[in-house]
Amino acid sequence: MPVSVKSTTKPAPSAQTLRDLARQQVGLALGFNGCSAEVLDELVALGQLRHLKRGEYAVHRGDAPAHVWLVVSGLFESSTQRADGHRHLLGLALPGDFFALMALVDGHPHSHDLTVR
């Protein structure tokens, strides 16, 4: 579940640091903030850390949902490409934000791209 953006100018944080950040963020997130410490620890332990580089896609529009993502560090752009080829910015995902949860729940394909910025 946790995902981190690897900066090209700064060294990536250690895996333990990222897991600690993920645990803190999950504990504050609406819907998870009432869970016991044991449940939160287990959620983070079951998650996979991924370091994505600028411009790399986490999710493509039309993909079938397979994971819930938590942004641990960095910034993601949520956008779609219009018929004329221009990208339309829908929003940003910041540290502590979850995405793809609704797609996983309703089973519909992702409605937009998520790209590291």
Side-chain angles (χ1 to χ4, degrees), residues 12-59:
S14 72
Q16 185 56 49
T17 299
L18 292 173
R19 289 203 178 277
D20 291 343
L21 282 170
R23 170 57 176 83
Q24 181 181 27
Q25 292 167 351
V26 170
L28 295 172
L30 186 63
F32 294 97
N33 57 357
C35 294
S36 69
E38 294 80 17
V39 169
L40 297 175
D41 290 341
E42 187 67 21
L43 285 171
V44 172
L46 291 171
Q48 298 176 7
L49 289 172
R50 290 199 45 205
H51 295 277
L52 303 175
K53 297 178 182 172
R54 184 179 177 126
E56 191 172 351
Y57 285 79
V59 172

Side-chain angles (χ1 to χ4, degrees), residues 60-71:
H60 289 278
R61 181 179 182 194
D63 284 352
H67 307 284
V68 173
W69 297 77
L70 168 66
V71 180

